[in-house]
Amino acid sequence: MAIRIIRKKEDPALRQRCSEVKEITPQIITILEDMAETMYHNDGVGLAANQVGIPKQLVVIDILDQGLLELINPKIVEAEGKEAEAEGCLSFPGIVGEVVRANKVTVEALNREGKKIRVQGSGLFARALQHEIDHLEGKVFIDKVVSFLEPSD
Ligand code: ZN
């Protein structure tokens, strides 16, 4: 495994739409493992593949050490509610802003074995799912911020 360099701010990789993973090869598994290592190394709760310069639909999430979730080709299939909460992003260090997101979402994806999985999340987990899936579409959270806040640390 290896820690990869996180693309930041104006890097064009962050604006790139990621393509669907057609086949889960050993290379895809290596990318997922590197993404997880990179996320933990930087104390993040989620990371999308284009944040390390790979335009493929791959996401890793671990909210408050609840366990690593790997998502391949994730899609939001249901969303409900709305709430504004603070969020940040490893690609925009030092920036915190309030973003309005659904407070409950259901996501369908593939796991590393290629099995279809369905993940339901609310609160911070739902927020992370939406934030990371936005990345795969070349969208970044600063475009959605309704008010910028002082970083807490
Ligand atoms: Zn992000």
Side-chain angles (χ1 to χ4, degrees):
M1 296 212 288
I3 293 165
R4 303 215 180 195
I5 293 164
I6 296 182
R7 305 301 182 92
K8 301 208 168 100
K9 297 174 187 171
E10 301 304 318
D11 191 306
L14 297 174
R15 296 295 181 172
Q16 203 168 356
R17 287 179 73 94
C18 295
S19 56
E20 210 170 70
V21 174
K22 302 274 188 234
E23 194 191 346
I24 303 166
T25 59
Q27 187 207 4
I28 294 291
I29 302 298
T30 300
I31 296 167
L32 283 168
E33 289 177 351
D34 286 357
M35 286 170 62
E37 193 175 1
T38 304
M39 172 181 73
Y40 290 125
H41 178 77
N42 290 283
D43 294 320
V45 297
L47 195 70
N50 53 344
Q51 288 183 276
V52 291
I54 297 163
K56 291 186 186 302
Q57 291 179 20
L58 299 169
V59 160
V60 292
I61 290 178
D62 188 352
I63 300 296
L64 310 171
D65 298 319
Q66 282 183 11
L68 177 64
L69 179 65
E70 297 172 335
L71 299 171
I72 300 170
N73 303 336
K75 302 259 176 320
I76 293 169
V77 294
E78 278 169 50
E80 60 182 81
K82 250 182 193 176
E83 64 188 357
E85 284 288 347
E87 63 184 72
C89 177
L90 291 177
S91 293
F92 296 88
I95 297 178
V96 180
E98 274 198 327
V99 178
V100 179
R101 301 213 187 255
N103 53 23
K104 201 172 161 192
V105 294
T106 303
V107 169
E108 282 182 357
L110 299 177
N111 66 11
R112 62 157 71 196
E113 283 84 41
K115 272 183 67 178
K116 199 169 178 177
I117 54 169
R118 227 175 135 85
V119 180
Q120 239 182 28
S122 58
L124 180 60
F125 184 32
R127 182 162 294 274
L129 288 164
Q130 292 167 87
H131 177 115
E132 300 311 332
I133 291 171
D134 270 0
H135 271 302
L136 300 182
E137 293 167 5
K139 298 177 192 163
V140 292
F141 90 110
I142 51 163
D143 297 341
K144 296 188 170 180
V145 166
V146 291
S147 70
F148 288 95
L149 308 168
E150 288 296 315
S152 55
D153 49 317

